[in-house]
Amino acid sequence: MKETKEQRELILPESKPEIRKVDGEPAKIIGYAVRWDQLSHPIFGMFQEKFTRGAFTASLLNPDVYAAWQHDSREILGRTPNTLQLFEDDIGLRYEITPPKWAEKHVETIERGDVRGSSFIFRPVVEEWDESNPDMAIRTISEAQLFEVSPVTTPAYPQSSVGIRSAEDVFKERQQSNSTNELEEKRELDRIMLEHDMRLRKLNL
């Protein structure tokens, strides 16, 4: 499993977090951190990305995930299993946060429509790359470990945040992997050709 974590944002009109209020119950922040099989916008112009349905199933068996306001660990809105619930449905990975009373100001900004996105931090476990289009590779993640979900104001891909791998690092890692695979394939081909040549020599003796 890869050790580094990555951060992504989902900023879409139909995916903005909402506030649900039911009489006699505390308000909840509800949103989607991921939508299945939906291609992201080009990430730094290098590749696009999507998650297949059920990508977080294994991670949600015994989750320890928290929700933070704008990824600020000083402002924790909820944590599994009590004040943060996570669900995989037909649409994607949905979260429901029961925020503390001090977060009423944040609830208000979501109600007003000022906060329009969701972000999450994850670690890829199983991924595939489609590089048939040389101008824009597509990365498909079929299994990932989830660490955090957060309502956010604007999309961002921080490259300097501690513990967060930039998209550039992801792409460079992929290129290095391709180079290593090509070298291994060449070595294997050379080995096969050498064995074939040795067999021919024995036959000619």
Side-chain angles (χ1 to χ4, degrees):
M1 180 187 296
K2 298 180 180 180
E3 295 301 321
T4 46
K5 300 175 184 177
E6 300 180 41
Q7 179 176 322
R8 295 292 184 269
E9 280 72 28
L10 186 63
I11 309 291
L12 296 167
E14 67 272 20
S15 298
K16 65 181 181 180
E18 299 177 351
I19 302 299
R20 178 181 297 170
K21 292 182 177 179
V22 178
D23 290 341
E25 296 182 10
K28 288 188 177 182
I29 302 172
I30 298 174
Y32 281 93
V34 178
R35 284 180 172 257
W36 307 134
D37 297 314
Q38 187 171 61
L39 276 176
S40 68
H41 292 295
I43 300 174
F44 287 118
M46 291 182 288
F47 65 95
Q48 289 179 282
E49 188 175 74
K50 63 180 179 178
F51 288 78
T52 61
R53 181 173 179 172
F56 297 94
T57 299
S59 181
L60 299 184
L61 291 177
N62 295 291
D64 182 13
V65 182
Y66 66 87
W69 181 254
Q70 308 279 5
H71 287 299
D72 187 344
S73 59
R74 296 168 298 181
E75 297 197 53
I76 301 299
L77 301 175
R79 191 164 195 153
T80 56
N82 298 319
T83 53
L84 170 64
Q85 280 79 47
L86 298 160
F87 310 92
E88 288 184 316
D89 59 22
D90 292 340
I91 298 173
L93 177 65
R94 189 176 88 253
Y95 62 82
E96 294 187 4
I97 307 167
T98 304
K101 291 181 179 180
W102 59 257
E104 290 178 358
K105 60 182 180 180
H106 299 327
V107 170
E108 182 181 1
T109 59
I110 294 174
E111 284 184 306
R112 284 158 38 113
D114 300 333
V115 174
R116 302 175 182 175
S118 298
S119 179
F120 64 104
I121 293 175
F122 70 100
R123 177 185 293 141
V125 177
V126 179
E127 62 182 49
E128 293 181 0
W129 287 81
D130 178 358
E131 297 172 287
S132 56
N133 180 356
D135 297 323
M136 186 60 63
I138 295 177
R139 181 195 199 194
T140 301
I141 298 175
S142 56
E143 184 178 345
Q145 184 178 4
L146 185 67
F147 296 93
E148 179 187 341
V149 295
S150 295
V152 293
T153 306
T154 56
Y157 293 92
Q159 298 188 51
S160 58
S161 298
V162 176
I164 305 298
R165 180 169 53 164
S166 71
E168 184 177 1
D169 290 337
V170 175
F171 199 62
K172 284 182 178 179
E173 180 182 290
R174 178 59 184 170
Q175 289 178 321
Q176 290 171 354
S177 176
N178 284 345
S179 297
T180 301
N181 291 339
E182 289 176 0
L183 180 60
E184 290 177 350
E185 289 175 0
K186 183 177 184 305
R187 286 175 177 171
E188 180 64 14
L189 180 60
D190 290 343
R191 184 188 66 78
I192 293 173
M193 293 300 294
L194 179 61
E195 289 181 353
H196 180 66
D197 186 54
M198 292 178 65
R199 290 194 188 98
L200 288 177
R201 289 181 182 181
K202 288 181 179 180
L203 289 174
N204 290 334
L205 289 177

